[in-house]
Amino acid sequence: MDCLFSLFSFVYIQLSFCLKEKNMSVFRVVGGPQNYAWGKLGSSSAVARYAAANDPEHVKIDENTPYAELWMGTHPKVPTIVYETGKPLSELIAQNPSKYLGDKVIAKFGSSKELPFLYKVLSIKKVLSIQAHPDKKLAQQLHASDPEHYPDDNHKPEMAVAITDFEAFCGFKPLAAIKHELETIPEFAELVGEKATKDFIANPSKENLKNVFHRVMSSDETFIAEVATKLVKRSVEEPSLFGNELADLIQRLNEQFPKDVGLFCGCLMLNHCNLKSGEAMFLQAREPHAYISGDIMECMAASDNVIRAGFTPKFKDVEVLVSSLTYSTNPVEEQKQPPAPFPRGSGDAKFALYDPPIDEFSVLQIKFDNAGKAQMKGIDGPSIVIVTEGTGKLNQNDENISLDAFEGGVYFIAPGAEVELVNESSKPFILYRAFCEA
């Protein structure tokens, strides 16, 4: 009888906990790490450290393994898990969409179980492929015709917020800069060809930029390797011709991808952007870019569509890429996403809002320099929070919830939930919150 009573008590406690968990507005979740070749090795990777701290039972850091991305969201490729139940976050959301997404978000984006955004940490040791992402119309067409290479029918604008010093390619250089390179770097003109080079120098236009880019991307691989060898040699012997920074970049990336077309379509044609910790850049759909090194928070519309160009052994869809780009030539500073105030945050923390001109996501940095408390009013949509530095508390006082907030800890916040953050030490405590508010 005592055994039966104990069993009943255990089942009752577990059922009560599950019912309570299903109605909690703030709870811990577990993202999934990805081991791509370009990631930083072992514990040098923020991805590895965060993943191991948040899921120590399943993630043991191998110092010889690259840890590239930590996914946080409901994308089916790497679904985030509710920590206490071990079930996908999407299942919990589907049980009560109004509570976990909010009616406005459901009405706008049409899903009753998926977040409109995908949130990631990236740790980059080796340059990622030069790539662009389709807009909604093109994404639907590509997914319908080639679902193997384009698994989603959604667009993929994205934003990168630097955690450490970070460098990237972002958009085409100004036309005058590309003209100067064609005039002064013989290997660039040789690859592009005499007619296309003359046409561009005579008339540096978007149409002629498209032609130059197409000539580069459609060149024979043997010819690319031959000309790239001469380009790298010249960057060593005549660095002043390129500028020391560009010469160094060509040599570094050639070590990672020897004789690759990316030395031309990336190093010579795209803006080279450097961000300090806390700086951000926003990348619209149909804009070429590539991440080169550093650790970042990345947020994007919920899609995994990529059209690749260079620095990759993977599938390159040259004709789709060339035809889909906007060929805008904005300077680097216009690619950056400056932080804005966040009036719904108060207390001892500093709030910096990165709010790009799209509906799917915004990212909020919350930073404590010293001990203290801060409050955030409710947001009319779902949020995912990750701690990138320090330890503290994440409280939802209306429901008597207090969670340990530690480096690498990941948390879901339901729409409307007011949250208190506490830093109990004199050391910095930094969090990043991705959210959607229709």
Side-chain angles (χ1 to χ4, degrees):
M1 190 67 172
D2 288 342
C3 290
L4 183 61
F5 178 77
S6 298
L7 178 60
F8 174 79
S9 299
F10 174 78
V11 171
Y12 176 78
I13 290 169
Q14 294 300 306
L15 180 60
S16 297
F17 176 81
C18 288
L19 289 174
K20 180 183 177 185
E21 189 273 333
K22 287 179 182 178
N23 289 296
M24 290 171 66
S25 294
V26 181
F27 51 89
R28 188 172 155 196
V29 294
V30 178
Q34 298 292 284
N35 305 105
Y36 305 137
W38 49 261
K40 291 185 178 181
L41 294 177
S43 54
S44 69
S45 168
V47 168
R49 297 194 304 272
Y50 297 164
N54 198 38
D55 190 17
E57 182 179 351
H58 299 103
V59 181
K60 309 295 182 185
I61 298 177
D62 181 343
E63 296 299 338
N64 296 312
T65 296
Y67 294 82
E69 297 186 350
L70 178 65
W71 288 39
M72 298 167 285
T74 53
H75 194 284
K77 182 178 177 181
V78 188
T80 286
I81 303 300
V82 178
Y83 177 77
E84 296 293 352
T85 65
K87 295 181 179 180
L89 175 62
S90 58
E91 287 189 13
L92 179 62
I93 292 173
Q95 292 170 8
N96 195 342
S98 292
K99 178 176 179 62
Y100 294 114
L101 292 179
D103 292 335
K104 291 181 180 179
V105 169
I106 295 170
K108 185 167 188 64
F109 297 102
S111 175
S112 59
K113 67 176 183 178
E114 296 181 353
L115 299 175
F117 61 85
L118 177 59
Y119 199 26
K120 297 181 182 181
V121 181
L122 272 63
S123 291
I124 304 148
K125 179 179 175 63
K126 187 176 180 180
V127 63
L128 278 70
S129 59
I130 298 172
Q131 58 190 256
H133 306 298
D135 58 20
K136 285 186 178 182
K137 182 179 179 180
L138 181 59
Q140 291 168 353
Q141 294 171 352
L142 294 174
H143 177 67
S145 63
D146 189 1
E148 178 185 355
H149 292 114
Y150 303 101
D152 298 293
D153 62 359
N154 195 20
H155 68 162
K156 192 184 177 184
E158 60 190 23
M159 181 169 64
V161 184
I163 303 174
T164 64
D165 288 350
F166 168 68
E167 61 176 331
F169 292 123
C170 56
F172 285 103
K173 293 178 180 179
L175 295 171
I178 296 174
K179 176 186 176 183
H180 177 73
E181 290 175 340
L182 281 169
E183 290 174 327
T184 58
I185 301 174
E187 293 76 20
F188 189 18
E190 182 180 358
L191 185 64
V192 170
E194 183 177 358
K195 183 179 186 309
T197 296
K198 286 183 176 180
D199 288 346
F200 187 89
I201 290 173
N203 179 22
S205 64
K206 284 190 177 184
E207 189 60 35
N208 282 333
L209 174 60
K210 180 179 180 179
N211 188 36
V212 167
F213 187 69
H214 186 263
R215 293 280 302 179
V216 170
M217 292 307 306
S218 58
S219 294
D220 175 76
E221 289 189 4
T222 301
F223 183 47
I224 291 170
E226 176 188 326
V227 181
T229 299
K230 293 189 288 184
L231 177 74
V232 174
K233 184 173 184 289
R234 191 178 298 276
S235 75
V236 173
E237 295 176 350
E238 301 178 60
S240 60
L241 183 66
F242 302 81
N244 290 332
E245 183 177 326
L246 178 57
D248 174 72
L249 183 65
I250 290 170
Q251 293 158 34
R252 280 193 290 130
L253 298 190
N254 184 65
E255 290 178 0
Q256 297 178 12
F257 285 91
K259 308 174 186 179
D260 192 87
V261 67
L263 299 175
F264 295 93
C265 70
C267 295
L268 297 185
M269 298 194 72
L270 301 185
N271 289 312
H272 182 216
C273 178
N274 289 283
L275 301 182
K276 297 293 185 182
S277 177
E279 292 186 313
M281 67 178 188
F282 175 64
L283 300 158
Q284 292 274 14
R286 301 169 59 205
E287 296 289 351
H289 61 276
Y291 300 152
I292 299 172
S293 67
D295 297 282
I296 62 171
M297 301 303 308
E298 184 185 44
C299 201
M300 64 199 69
S303 173
D304 197 32
N305 286 331
V306 179
I307 311 172
R308 296 180 178 87
F311 295 133
T312 178
K314 295 181 179 179
F315 172 68
K316 292 194 280 281
D317 200 340
V318 172
E319 294 306 317
V320 169
L321 178 73
V322 171
S323 65
S324 67
L325 299 181
T326 66
Y327 296 95
S328 62
T329 54
N330 298 327
V332 168
E333 289 305 313
E334 293 183 17
Q335 307 272 342
K336 292 183 178 180
Q337 181 69 44
F342 184 69
R344 286 174 285 181
S346 61
D348 300 314
K350 299 174 183 176
F351 296 89
L353 176 65
Y354 304 93
D355 190 21
I358 55 165
D359 297 324
E360 283 86 350
F361 63 84
S362 300
V363 174
L364 177 68
Q365 182 198 64
I366 308 109
K367 183 178 182 181
F368 289 85
D369 292 322
N370 297 290
K373 294 183 179 181
Q375 292 75 38
M376 288 185 287
K377 294 181 179 179
I379 289 174
D380 198 9
S383 303
I384 290 181
V385 176
I386 182 169
V387 180
T388 60
E389 185 176 345
T391 59
K393 291 286 186 181
L394 180 60
N395 300 328
Q396 212 290 315
N397 295 325
D398 290 345
E399 297 179 7
N400 198 29
I401 297 169
S402 181
L403 301 175
D404 289 331
F406 54 90
E407 184 175 303
V410 185
Y411 311 86
F412 182 87
I413 302 177
E418 296 194 359
V419 174
E420 178 185 59
L421 296 168
V422 182
N423 183 18
E424 297 174 337
S425 78
S426 59
K427 297 180 179 179
F429 179 40
I430 303 174
L431 310 90
Y432 286 88
R433 178 178 183 174
F435 64 90
C436 174
E437 190 168 44

